[in-house]
Amino acid sequence: LTRLPRESRTRIGGSPTRRLLTAHISSFFRRSGSGMVLPMNRILMAIEQSTSTGSLALFKGSALIDSAAWTENTTRHQHLFPALQDILGRTQILPEAVDVLAVGLGPGVFSGLRMSLSAARAFALPGRKMVCGISSGEALAWDISRETGLQRVTVIGDARRSRFWYGHFEAADRDVRMTAPYALVPAADIASVLQPGAILVSPHWDRIGEPLARAAGSSSRVVAGVRIPSARAVGELALSRLATSFPWPPLKPIYMPPPGFIEPKFPPKA
């Protein structure tokens, strides 16, 4: 990506951006109650790369018009930009015609989340377009709730070092909301954080499925097998929230565990 001027880099995602974007965004959104609705001829692009399976989705108004998915075989996440070129070519949509971008924020892999945010910001910068952040856990819970008809969903992932991360979600109307912040728990104690009546799902079932199934026992339902967040779900949640007064989260990747400083093993040379 082209290196952005310092002034532009400091504006993106901060409060000055919200003030600069207000007049521009209002010019192509129409009001609906206390929120805004994307008009039928406007384009929203959603990007999701919190796992090794990435995806893109394009919406015109509220209708999905195309999508793409791929599996990364390395940690460099090299498929996003070819996929962007392909999907825009198939739909005959120019990059500058994309009006709003929605991006999955994680929890997930470092390189995929950083690349997704960088791509969304690069698309948004020239026309000062809006970028919406959606928790990838919310996107997965949204899909599972609609698939099963259950309102309460718990998403659990592998945080390494014998720890799991988890998030509790509740679906209602056309949205799903997190009922508590993401948290870490020792793998041996996962049963202590499970909620009665919630269905369990994991993007890392291939690594942690066996202990999850044991912890769930007969008191909780589980979705067996790896399930991943999708760009389609990220876009659907963004469209639903644009029609409300939803408080958008900061455009920052969610890492579980959060990044921390590690003391150097050897002191620096004098």
Side-chain angles (χ1 to χ4, degrees), residues 21-44:
L21 289 176
T22 299
H24 178 73
I25 292 171
S26 297
S27 68
F28 65 81
F29 281 99
R30 57 185 173 85
R31 292 283 174 179
S32 174
S34 58
M36 296 179 288
V37 178
L38 197 66
M40 292 301 294
N41 62 331
R42 299 294 181 172
I43 304 297
L44 180 144

Side-chain angles (χ1 to χ4, degrees), residues 108-232:
V109 295
F110 177 88
S111 57
L113 297 178
R114 298 297 295 183
M115 182 172 287
S116 294
L117 280 167
S118 296
R121 286 166 166 161
F123 261 84
L125 182 62
R128 295 177 177 174
K129 308 295 178 64
M130 183 177 185
V131 181
C132 308
I134 302 290
S135 158
S136 302
E138 288 176 323
L140 181 52
W142 171 246
D143 271 343
I144 297 302
S145 177
R146 292 195 306 168
E147 178 182 311
T148 63
L150 299 176
Q151 289 186 313
R152 305 176 76 179
V153 181
T154 297
V155 180
I156 303 174
D158 184 8
R160 307 290 186 177
R161 298 184 179 181
S162 300
R163 294 175 297 175
F164 295 161
W165 59 259
Y166 66 94
H168 298 305
F169 303 89
E170 190 158 344
D173 299 326
R174 296 170 55 207
D175 204 349
V176 62
R177 300 295 171 92
M178 176 174 271
T179 57
Y182 289 109
L184 294 172
V185 63
D189 298 334
I190 186 62
S192 66
V193 302
L194 301 184
Q195 293 186 332
I199 187 167
L200 311 183
V201 62
S202 176
H204 305 140
W205 183 268
D206 53 337
R207 302 203 299 261
I208 65 174
E210 186 175 339
L212 280 186
R214 286 199 307 267
S218 59
S219 60
S220 299
R221 291 181 57 181
V222 297
V223 178
V226 174
R227 297 297 298 268
I228 57 172
S230 68
R232 176 191 50 75

